[in-house]
Amino acid sequence: SLAAEIAETDEGDTRLLLVKPQTFMNLSGQAVGAVLKKFNIAPAKLVVFHDEVELDNGVVRHKFGGGHKGHNG
C-alpha cells in the first residue's frame, strides 16, 4: 500500500493526481517516489506544493529547480 492519500481529477485533457504523503516529513520522498512508480509518472511531471513559513500569508512563490536551503524534509 502507498503511504499517501491520493485524489485523482481531470483538468481538460490532463489527469491530475493530488498526493498527500502520510509519512514523517523526512520520509515523504519515499511516499512520493512510490506514487510516481505506481502511476508511471516521470519525475519531470512532478510539482511540489508546500508551506513556507518565511512568506507572508497569501503570498505565493514558484521556482523551478534550486536547493532546499538546508532542509531535509
Side-chain angles (χ1 to χ4, degrees), residues 13-68:
D13 293 336
T14 303
R15 179 179 67 154
L16 298 174
L17 289 179
L18 305 173
V19 178
K20 181 180 178 185
Q22 296 299 295
T23 58
F24 287 107
M25 182 174 51
N26 289 347
L27 300 176
S28 61
Q30 293 175 2
V32 172
V35 169
L36 293 179
K37 184 175 181 179
K38 177 178 175 67
F39 289 93
N40 195 29
I41 299 170
K45 297 286 187 177
L46 175 67
V47 178
V48 176
F49 294 89
H50 65 92
D51 61 342
E52 180 62 69
V53 297
E54 296 173 353
L55 297 178
D56 292 332
N57 287 336
V59 175
V60 176
R61 178 178 65 190
H62 68 276
K63 71 176 189 172
F64 297 92
H68 49 71

